[in-house]
Amino acid sequence: MPLRGKKKVSGRKTQARGKAPVRRKRARPTGALVLKLDVKIPAKKSAIDPVVQRVMAEVRKVPHAHGKEDAIELALTEALANAVVHGCKCDPGKTVECRVATDKRGVLIVVRDQGNGFNPKNLPNPLHDENLYANHGRGIFLIHRLMDEVRYHRNGTEIRMLKR
């Protein structure tokens, strides 16, 4: 039954006389992601390791990440290196963002750079004969092998990696 004197606007109840909307607190669903770390670094190679160490300190606190730390650390290092070197071209005037969140299912790591992006489908396969002895080109391949889920957003300037 509708309340008298109130109208519903875009999912919220507001007072008819121009008063502020009445907002209801939503219960946080169980298993909701909890942000553990949100950092921005200059696009310098020397900034990568301190971020990896901070992230891994948070990951080690997560019970369901035990035994998966090495995979997470290597994937994170590769993602940050790709963002700094390929995305931002080592321009310290640009920044790389790293966010880490956890829930009951796993650890989510998001790395975003200020580069032009890329299409992961256009990357050469490091397992093809002509690429086997190359001294580069395995970072994305490793990330996909180490993490349970990998997705790209924002034209390839953002990578989301999930380890369950």
Side-chain angles (χ1 to χ4, degrees), residues 8-141:
K8 194 168 184 169
V9 178
S10 67
R12 291 185 280 174
K13 292 182 182 178
T14 56
Q15 301 291 333
R17 296 188 185 111
K19 294 182 182 178
V22 177
R23 296 184 185 196
R24 295 181 182 177
K25 288 186 179 180
R26 293 182 182 168
R28 203 161 115 193
T30 58
L33 285 170
V34 176
L35 185 65
K36 297 292 186 177
L37 190 65
D38 185 1
V39 296
K40 286 185 180 182
I41 60 170
K44 299 187 315 186
K45 289 180 184 180
S46 62
I48 295 172
D49 190 56
V51 172
V52 171
Q53 298 310 313
R54 285 180 62 190
V55 169
M56 293 312 298
E58 290 299 323
V59 167
R60 287 183 187 96
K61 296 176 187 175
V62 179
H64 52 269
H66 293 303
K68 303 170 187 173
E69 297 92 348
D70 291 341
I72 294 169
E73 185 172 359
L74 182 54
L76 172 63
T77 302
E78 288 294 337
L80 288 169
N82 284 344
V84 168
V85 174
H86 302 294
C88 294
K89 310 288 187 223
C90 295
D91 179 354
K94 293 183 177 181
T95 59
V96 173
E97 298 176 48
C98 180
R99 292 189 176 129
V100 180
T102 63
D103 68 4
K104 291 182 179 180
R105 294 180 311 134
V107 177
L108 174 68
I109 300 173
V110 179
V111 175
R112 182 185 302 162
D113 65 60
Q114 294 180 330
N116 295 324
F118 77 106
N119 184 344
K121 293 177 183 175
N122 294 339
L123 294 176
N125 185 335
L127 300 179
H128 286 169
D129 288 342
E130 66 272 11
N131 301 324
L132 283 177
Y133 297 106
N135 62 0
H136 64 282
R138 291 176 184 82
I140 296 294
F141 176 79

